[in-house]
Amino acid sequence: MIRDAAPADLPEILRLVHALAEYEREPDAVEATIDDFARALFPQDGTPTTYALIVEDDGAVVGMAVWFVTFSTWTGRNGIWLEDLFVDPANRGAGTGKALLTRLAQICVERGWTRLEWTVLTWNEPAIAFYEALGSISMDEWQTRRLQGDALRILATA
């Protein structure tokens, strides 16, 4: 069963994020807390900046997709940036990941949005094969760039 995340899901979301970090060989990289996710997903004031879908199997949370709204200046329409998709290893191969991506595609189509985008680590061959089987294309001509830490602070004060 796929559903929108609820505040009661926050501990499970954080558990899945930690499991994803382990899988991506960055076990100590997660700085986010339950409070951070609560502010983004369920703010007390204003509109959420981030959304999450939850997958349950017999009442247990086994997967998630965390996403936010993007905008394309070329199409003049919004889209979805899939920040993270993760399914517990014991639940892989049963269509859970495809069901999450299907629901995100449905949200795009229902809202008239034109894109569903994400990144994948170049070494994650099982995920790449899975995404290609769904019809996704690689945007090889684009390079993801990031400012963080000291570089971000230095630019902010320039």
Side-chain angles (χ1 to χ4, degrees):
M1 178 180 102
I2 296 178
R3 60 175 175 76
D4 292 332
D9 296 314
L10 291 170
E12 285 297 296
I13 291 170
L14 190 56
R15 176 188 68 81
L16 292 168
V17 168
H18 279 279
L20 174 62
E22 287 280 338
Y23 178 78
E24 292 187 350
R25 306 173 187 163
E26 294 279 346
D28 300 321
V30 178
E31 298 176 16
T33 66
I34 288 176
D35 288 340
D36 293 327
F37 280 103
R39 278 189 296 277
L41 294 164
F42 311 106
Q44 292 182 357
D45 297 321
T47 304
T49 59
T50 308
Y51 305 88
L53 296 175
I54 295 295
V55 179
E56 286 184 330
D57 183 24
D58 289 330
V61 174
V62 299
M64 66 165 188
V66 177
W67 61 277
F68 55 90
V69 178
T70 62
F71 181 78
S72 168
T73 56
W74 288 17
T75 67
R77 300 232 177 118
N78 291 104
I80 286 178
W81 183 267
L82 174 57
E83 180 64 20
D84 284 319
L85 181 139
F86 187 77
V87 175
D88 280 327
N91 294 86
R92 293 183 188 153
T96 305
K98 182 178 180 182
L100 282 166
L101 285 167
T102 297
R103 180 63 194 125
L104 291 171
Q106 290 168 345
I107 292 168
C108 285
V109 171
E110 290 164 3
R111 298 179 185 184
W113 296 352
T114 57
R115 295 180 178 171
L116 171 55
E117 299 175 294
W118 64 93
T119 59
V120 61
L121 291 165
T122 56
W123 58 259
N124 194 347
E125 293 177 17
I128 292 168
F130 167 65
Y131 297 143
E132 287 176 350
L134 296 176
S136 73
I137 57 171
S138 178
M139 303 295 288
D140 294 334
E141 67 275 14
W142 293 90
Q143 184 182 80
T144 303
R145 306 296 303 178
R146 177 182 293 166
L147 278 172
Q148 65 182 29
D150 289 340
L152 180 65
R153 287 185 284 282
I154 289 167
L155 183 59
T157 60

